[in-house]
Amino acid sequence: MRSSKHVWTGVLLAAAGLATAGCGAATGAAAEEPPAAVEQVAEGEIPAVTLKADAAELIGLQTDTVREEKVDGVPRKVVSYGALLYDAKGDTYVYGTSTPLVFKRVKLVVDTISGDRVVLTDGPPAGTTVVTIGAAELFGAESEIGD
């Protein structure tokens, strides 16, 4: 009869083998494709970020639209607060899209923020689809953070 020490040693070694079985070099096309591709552009231009469908699902990507609402009786462009993104210099952006899974950072100017409503002085036109959940991940991909 084996002692419990030997049984547990065998279980741990087997588990370690399973845990490290996938640690070798990955093969196949799926392993070579990154979850996001960043468009190559001239310096100073903002690139587009293209996500794989499973990457969009993994980060819980959600969108909304830029709306036109009356603010103090005047029609203004409005976005949800979740769409707002600040860069390191404090400039404000949203990630807009007109093609599924392709996103581009768009500069905007914030007039006021009230709750979840961001009133814009300048920005994308009403009806533009913008990212409300997942913008930070897109910014990280665009900036090649985590590569």
Side-chain angles (χ1 to χ4, degrees), residues 90-115:
D91 293 329
T92 50
Y93 297 87
V94 292
Y95 272 96
T97 183
S98 58
T99 304
L101 300 177
V102 179
F103 306 92
K104 190 162 186 167
R105 193 165 39 98
V106 181
K107 189 167 176 49
L108 51 85
V109 179
V110 174
D111 182 24
T112 60
I113 299 174
S114 177

Side-chain angles (χ1 to χ4, degrees), residues 14-39:
L18 290 174
T20 60
C23 291
T27 59
E32 296 171 12
E33 295 181 22
V38 180
E39 170 188 42

